Amino acid sequence: MELSIFSFFAICLLLGEVVVAGRARASDDSFDENYYVTWGNNHVLSLNQGREIQLSMDSSSGSGFGSKLSYGSGLFHMRTKLPDKDSAGLTSHTSNHDELDFEFLGNREGKPYTLQTNVFSNGQGNREQRLHLWFDPTADFHTYQILWNQHQIVFYVDNIPIRVFKNNTNIGVSYPTQPMQIEASLWDGDSWATDGGQTKTNWSHAPFKAHFQGFNIDGCPAQDSSNIQQCYSSKFWWNGDKYWTLDSTQQKAYENVKNKYMNYDYCSDRPRYPNPPPECLL
Ligand SMILES: *[C@@H]1O[C@H](CO)[C@@H](O)[C@H](O)[C@H]1NC(C)=O
Ligand SMILES: *[C@@H]1O[C@H](CO)[C@@H](O)[C@H](O)[C@H]1NC(C)=O
């Protein structure tokens, strides 16, 4: 039997609570209007007049970018194409804030990518769900979205809902209340890695390159928790009642994803949660 060759990195698209001083917004959707490079400057390449960004990672550094502003509600999106080398990885965020994550886990050659999502609210995470993607995310750009309003958080892949986290504060489940920033990063996750970190990054495959597009932001900017209330206004279309629940078509698509592609759900992990968290019982 042959050993698969692995390279480990992590990409994450997340909303994390980081307060960043704001600048005037423009309608233009180039990277510079809404985003800035957060780290690994010399591993970031701007393409097509800033309409596309390439993040790369080699043994010296990974790279990342984030939104200039923080947001209190919105329907956030990013078009992303993953590195085409066989690769793996996992991000880790152990901070005490609200966070919504898309994370891409390892890709053993010939096997589908795994997409992991997580929801942190008030510092509490450990709500992983994982699914196999039904397409090759390295072959083309795909759209990853997060809806966040007072009623629900929905993760979408190419407009298909793959995860719903409802506002269940009425039964004591915390729900994000702090402005969040959009971030994307590509970094070495080999200590976490697929298969529990057994295999290390093979740097002879470097540099690993991920591409991003879609830098306009449909979100309500908010500086801190004290002025997030204005982000719940019905004047923002993503707060409209159409976005309070999935419609029947979306619900069907969501059920289909759960049945066919989901391979891990913290809600049904009994060894880990003998008593499932309250949101899992609904
Ligand atoms: C959760 O829902 C309740 C009841 O609708 C609402 O009052 C509250 O503001 C919501 N919480 C958040 C953080 O959006
Ligand atoms: C790393 O990849 C190269 C090129 O594919 C291969 O020749 C080499 O054996 C790999 N190294 C390890 C430790 O797997």
Side-chain angles (χ1 to χ4, degrees), residues 69-97:
L69 302 182
S70 297
Y71 297 87
S73 68
L75 179 50
F76 307 95
H77 66 269
M78 191 66 69
R79 282 167 53 72
T80 306
K81 187 175 161 210
L82 303 194
D84 63 356
K85 308 277 174 47
D86 54 336
S87 48
L90 175 65
T91 57
S92 123
H93 302 283
T94 50
S95 37
N96 255 355
H97 44 232

Side-chain angles (χ1 to χ4, degrees), residues 139-245:
D140 217 334
F141 284 91
H142 290 271
T143 304
Y144 304 89
Q145 291 165 287
I146 297 176
L147 168 71
W148 173 27
N149 61 34
Q150 267 193 296
H151 302 270
Q152 61 176 356
I153 287 161
V154 184
F155 293 76
Y156 303 87
V157 174
D158 293 334
N159 295 313
I160 297 171
I162 61 146
R163 179 168 192 170
V164 178
F165 187 79
K166 303 291 274 185
N167 172 346
N168 281 314
T169 50
N170 59 328
I171 57 160
V173 181
S174 63
Y175 194 77
T177 57
Q178 307 178 74
M180 295 192 248
Q181 185 194 25
I182 305 162
E183 293 181 9
S185 63
L186 176 58
W187 58 288
D188 181 21
D190 77 356
S191 61
W192 284 85
T194 305
D195 296 341
Q198 288 162 15
T199 323
K200 297 297 174 191
T201 300
N202 184 338
W203 293 108
S204 69
H205 290 169
F208 304 101
K209 295 172 182 167
H211 290 83
F212 298 84
Q213 297 175 342
F215 300 116
N216 58 312
I217 298 178
D218 293 313
C220 163
Q223 286 309 307
D224 55 55
S225 311
S226 68
N227 67 3
I228 199 172
Q229 210 64 33
Q230 40 109 9
C231 291
Y232 302 151
S233 160
S234 59
K235 77 176 185 210
F236 297 111
W237 56 266
W238 52 82
N239 290 333
D241 53 8
K242 186 168 173 249
Y243 295 91
W244 293 6
T245 54

